[in-house]
Amino acid sequence: MYRQRSVTNAARSLNLTQPAVSQHIAGLEVAIGRKLFEREVRGVVPTAAADELAADLGNKLDDAEAALSSARARSIELTGALRIIGHGDFLAEVVTAHLQPLLEAGMKVRLHTGDSDLITHMLTEGHCDLGISAYPANDKRLHCELIRNERVLAVASPQVADRIIRAPDFRQALLAEPLLAYNLELSMIDRWLGKNKIDHGQINPAMTGQDLRSLRNLLCKHFGWTALPEYLCVPYLENGQLIEIPAPVGSTFLDYYLVWTPSVLRQPRVAHARQSLLWNLKKT
């Protein structure tokens, strides 16, 4: 209930009735002699005593539940659907390569795509089991672990890159070409330009697309430039369809995280899948 801020949501995540959850809390309050939650119209608010208790417990309960679920997963059939949400390009080009062992174990995998806000929503509302995001979890109800640190490259087709590289003014030539971006906030672009001390003022992208493969495909048609994580570029750099635009100072990096709510680890298949993905994605 401390994470959910709601008796109803806590009961649902624990597979208990609301009266049972309230009774457990009441018993805990009697045991420690202090009130833990204040009821409000939209849920419950933890007291200072609840905050102290949560800080003292830390991740001990979550770790114990994960270990128990992993042990159960080794001894029972891993059936049922596993729902994973993440960035479409990363799911398709990285994650799917590591799903075969889970499928062979009898799981049904359902992949969903979305940006970081949708990933957070789908996980906290219980619509998905695991998430993969290019942003760390900033919601206290979520846990995350770093699985990938990807170099970001500025890339374009050979024709476009050659115009930029040969121009007497690198900055002016770069900004004169159409820009393709993940979103209007220019998250990856801003970091790359900032690292390389290129003042860009106001840039209005020619196109935005949250599946980065759409940007890559347009680059291969000799239109524009962008910054992409390296996993999307390697085959295209090797066959000459794309060229890296040299970074005057250096590359930037993009982190990817596996994200989950602690309560889903009570399900053996989710605990097993989380451990499998952590192990395999960290190795690649």
Side-chain angles (χ1 to χ4, degrees):
M1 197 160 75
Y2 183 82
R3 290 195 181 99
Q4 299 291 340
R5 300 295 199 267
S6 162
V7 178
T8 302
N9 292 342
R12 183 168 54 241
S13 68
L14 293 168
N15 293 318
L16 296 173
T17 64
Q18 292 185 44
V21 171
S22 297
Q23 187 176 359
H24 281 299
I25 294 299
L28 189 56
E29 288 176 335
V30 170
I32 66 174
R34 299 173 70 183
K35 192 173 183 63
L36 294 175
F37 295 96
E38 298 288 351
R39 291 183 178 274
E40 294 190 349
V41 175
R42 296 186 178 180
V44 295
V45 176
T47 63
D51 290 333
E52 291 172 5
L53 181 60
D56 288 341
L57 288 173
N59 295 328
K60 296 184 182 68
L61 290 179
D62 297 331
D63 293 341
E65 285 179 358
L68 179 60
S69 295
S70 294
R72 290 173 59 200
R74 289 192 292 270
S75 61
I76 66 174
E77 187 177 6
L78 295 171
T79 57
L82 175 73
R83 302 160 300 172
I84 303 174
I85 184 168
H87 305 291
D89 46 87
F90 192 80
L91 290 178
E93 306 230 355
V94 178
V95 176
T96 52
H98 304 289
L99 294 178
Q100 187 173 342
L102 301 178
L103 295 167
E104 290 175 344
M107 288 190 195
K108 309 299 183 187
V109 178
R110 306 290 182 250
L111 297 179
H112 305 268
T113 62
D115 61 11
S116 59
D117 290 337
L118 183 59
I119 292 169
T120 296
H121 172 76
M122 294 291 278
L123 292 175
T124 55
E125 292 298 314
H127 301 311
C128 286
D129 304 308
L130 298 172
I132 296 178
S133 176
Y135 301 90
N138 56 12
D139 189 307
K140 291 182 178 179
R141 293 170 291 178
L142 297 174
H143 285 192
C144 68
E145 189 164 337
L146 180 67
I147 55 174
R148 187 108 169 196
N149 180 248
E150 195 76 21
R151 191 162 71 104
V152 173
L153 310 176
V155 289
S157 70
Q159 292 91 327
V160 174
D162 188 62
R163 283 201 299 268
I164 296 170
I165 294 168
R166 291 179 178 274
D169 187 324
F170 176 84
R171 173 189 173 279
Q172 185 176 11
L174 181 70
L175 300 181
E177 297 289 343
L179 173 66
L180 313 179
Y182 175 80
N183 55 24
L184 291 174
E185 284 72 34
L186 305 179
S187 46
M188 278 191 290
I189 306 294
D190 267 348
R191 286 196 294 269
W192 190 89
L193 292 172
K195 173 67 179 284
N196 289 286
K197 304 186 185 311
I198 297 173
D199 179 17
H200 58 78
Q202 294 294 324
I203 303 180
N204 189 15
M207 188 183 86
T208 62
Q210 293 187 345
D211 187 323
L212 296 176
R213 292 170 297 183
S214 64
L215 310 186
R216 182 187 64 190
N217 292 344
L218 196 52
L219 295 180
C220 292
K221 299 292 185 181
H222 317 300
F223 183 86
W225 73 279
T226 192
L228 292 175
E230 192 169 18
Y231 74 84
L232 283 169
C233 302
V234 171
Y236 294 81
L237 293 170
E238 290 175 348
N239 67 23
Q241 287 182 273
L242 295 178
I243 287 182
E244 180 180 1
I245 300 169
V249 177
S251 299
T252 54
F253 292 84
L254 182 63
D255 293 334
Y256 287 90
Y257 299 84
L258 186 64
V259 191
W260 65 93
T261 59
S263 60
V264 298
L265 299 184
R266 297 187 182 94
Q267 302 176 49
R269 70 178 179 277
V270 180
H272 177 75
R274 183 197 71 130
Q275 197 56 45
S276 174
L277 290 173
L278 285 175
W279 174 261
N280 287 296
L281 289 171
K282 283 185 174 183
K283 291 195 302 182
T284 57

